[in-house]
Amino acid sequence: MYASYNKWANDLLLQECDQIPSKEYHRDLDVYFNSIHGTMDHQYVADKVWLYRFTGQGDPIDSLDEQLTGDLATLKEKRRLLDDRICSVIDQMQEKDFLRTIIYRTVRKPLVMQQPLGAALFHFFNHQTHHRGQVHAMLTQLGRTPAALDMIYFQRETGQWMAKEEDMITA
């Protein structure tokens, strides 16, 4: 559910970003990663770091400060491919995988960590939600009214993880 939601929410934000001028998209809004683009690029970088930890596939990233996209068009293309990959990786997992211990090296402080994959996935998806909230707030600062990103809207729109009509209770 979280992988599908992640893809849905990222796509909504990317659509909203298409509606603002590049200058506003890259404008320094005095936030940790400076701009909407900086925040979305960081989310992309962090997702690649974690996906590498989960799968051992892809290119390792040595710094969370790397910029992997320079503009919205590049980010959109790479983000959508990565979201498809995330969905594929998660879809292939079985329940037993969530209990498997992963071992990885942290990026900022070189420490070796061990953690159940399921717990790391909670962080992975929560981190994405955290940064999407920041982007949502920045879009609001720019005078936009971005679509609501609450999980319930995703569930209602897609029908996923909702009761079927025949299972619903009527008043």
Side-chain angles (χ1 to χ4, degrees):
M1 177 174 59
Y2 279 107
S4 296
Y5 165 73
N6 174 62
K7 180 178 178 170
W8 175 86
N10 284 338
D11 196 52
L12 280 179
L13 284 181
L14 291 169
Q15 289 175 40
E16 188 66 36
C17 289
D18 264 340
Q19 305 304 311
I20 61 175
S22 178
K23 182 179 176 182
E24 294 291 290
Y25 174 71
H26 288 279
R27 180 175 157 192
D28 188 337
L29 294 169
D30 200 27
V31 294
Y32 193 81
F33 294 103
N34 301 323
S35 64
I36 291 171
H37 181 78
T39 302
M40 293 184 79
D41 188 82
H42 165 74
Q43 179 187 347
Y44 175 78
V45 169
D47 286 356
K48 287 184 68 77
V49 167
W50 279 103
L51 209 51
Y52 181 80
R53 291 172 179 169
F54 299 152
T55 67
Q57 297 173 352
D59 297 322
I61 294 174
D62 297 323
S63 171
L64 292 174
D65 298 324
E66 281 190 47
Q67 288 276 320
L68 297 181
T69 66
D71 57 39
L72 178 58
T74 303
L75 177 69
K76 281 174 35 179
E77 179 183 342
K78 289 184 173 192
R79 178 79 257 175
R80 288 180 173 145
L81 289 171
L82 187 62
D83 286 343
D84 286 342
R85 184 166 170 239
I86 291 168
C87 288
S88 177
V89 166
I90 298 298
D91 285 346
Q92 292 175 34
M93 289 183 183
Q94 298 176 4
E95 193 170 333
K96 66 181 180 180
D97 293 321
F98 301 119
L99 299 175
R100 175 176 57 88
T101 298
I102 62 170
I103 300 170
Y104 60 91
R105 183 175 300 281
T106 59
V107 175
R108 294 217 191 267
K109 297 177 185 176
L111 302 171
V112 175
M113 306 300 296
Q114 293 186 48
Q115 182 175 27
L117 175 60
L121 284 167
F122 278 124
H123 165 73
F124 178 67
F125 289 117
N126 187 64
H127 182 256
Q128 295 166 350
T129 300
H130 163 70
H131 287 302
R132 278 193 298 269
Q134 290 175 323
V135 170
H136 197 277
M138 286 184 270
L139 287 164
T140 302
Q141 284 179 342
L142 295 175
R144 305 292 304 172
T145 306
L149 299 178
D150 296 289
M151 175 75 77
I152 194 67
Y153 294 115
F154 160 73
Q155 293 169 333
R156 290 174 184 166
E157 182 179 308
T158 64
Q160 295 181 53
W161 299 278
M162 297 293 290
K164 294 179 175 76
E165 192 171 329
E166 61 268 14
D167 297 333
M168 298 176 96
I169 300 171
T170 56

